[in-house]
Amino acid sequence: MTPPPDAEFRASGDLPASFVLTPARGEGGRTVFASPHSGAWCPEDMGPVAGLSAASLRSAEDVGVDRLTAAGPAHGVPLIAGLVSRAYVDLNRGPDELDPLLIEDCPAGEATTTAKVGAGFGVIPRRAGDGTILYDRRLSLAEAGARLARVHIPYHSTLSDLMHQTRERHGTALLVDWHSMPSRAAPVGRSGRGVDVILGDRHGAACRGAVTRRVRALFEAQGWRVGLNTPYAGGYSTQIWGRPDEGFQAIQVELNRALYLDERTLEPSPDHGRFARALDRVIAGLAAERWPR
């Protein structure tokens, strides 16, 4: 992503920048954008297994989602985007979702026994998105803690600031957490074709029903097929910010990569420009909404 001149890179420890924050232009509305999985940078201390391919390292990356959502700030929506690879730290997992098979002396707890952690996809993943093992060693608990302190904590602290500032101004704040899914993961609809967009509102718990319906309508107005909660109901960010009774709402958006990306080369497809223009119309609609409290 080529950031606008007012974008602010946030360094943490020895990392030159772990994420980029592009503030809203103008007064700003009730919406905050986040793209936690668009980063590709792997710090030198990662130490993955020898011979691991770049394709495997990037297999869980939301390639280009930061660029697709970059129109948000111009419409009054701040955008926070991760710059560090999901293979190093997953920003959409809880900091306590530690994998005892990867991390030595991992403290026992409910979060360490979730299905995602068991499959190798904890906050510090043991496997790449394509299932490839990332390490031929175990990480110390101190090493894991250092990663979280440098990458996970600063990102979520800044996101928290954005959400609280937005609620203070408007009485409510909606987080739109942007992601992408491989086309093979898209559920097949009655037409026999995979859905284009999946919205996750944690089965109605993360935002008001009227919010989900309006967001769905904005995507469907572009002619896209929209699914709800299956198989992506919303991750960590949607969970912690989906508190409508407190003035915080959240919805996760999964975009089918086949709409804009060559999934083999990870380069923009011939349809990228058309898709981006349609998504800009959705973004303008999201920015203009006065979400119900």
Side-chain angles (χ1 to χ4, degrees), residues 181-207:
M181 59 182 170
S183 57
R184 68 178 183 277
V188 176
R190 294 179 181 176
S191 65
R193 298 173 60 188
V195 300
D196 300 313
V197 178
I198 296 176
L199 303 179
D201 65 1
R202 299 189 67 84
H203 303 282
C207 62

Side-chain angles (χ1 to χ4, degrees), residues 34-38 60-66 68-69 86 90-93 155 175-182 196-198 200 219 232 234-238 251-257 260 275 279:
S35 178
H37 292 158
S38 50
E61 179 187 332
D62 288 341
V63 179
V65 169
D66 51 353
L68 288 168
T69 56
R86 184 180 183 181
D90 190 332
L91 292 169
N92 203 31
R93 296 282 183 268
Y155 174 91
L175 171 65
V176 181
D177 207 47
W178 295 91
H179 297 262
S180 67
M181 59 182 170
D196 300 313
V197 178
I198 296 176
F219 282 101
Y232 306 106
Y236 175 67
S237 294
T238 312
I251 193 165
Q252 182 171 291
V253 177
E254 296 277 354
L255 304 172
N256 190 324
R257 294 173 191 164
Y260 61 91
F275 177 83
L279 191 64

Side-chain angles (χ1 to χ4, degrees), residues 266-284:
L266 301 183
E267 295 294 327
S269 72
D271 292 327
H272 185 278
R274 180 173 58 182
F275 177 83
R277 288 189 293 274
L279 191 64
D280 282 353
R281 293 192 287 271
V282 174
I283 288 171

Side-chain angles (χ1 to χ4, degrees), residues 2 9 21 38 51 56 84 90-91 93 113 153 167 171 238 268:
T2 301
F9 290 90
L21 169 63
S38 50
S56 285
V84 176
D90 190 332
L91 292 169
R93 296 282 183 268
T113 62
I153 291 173
R167 187 187 66 168
T238 312

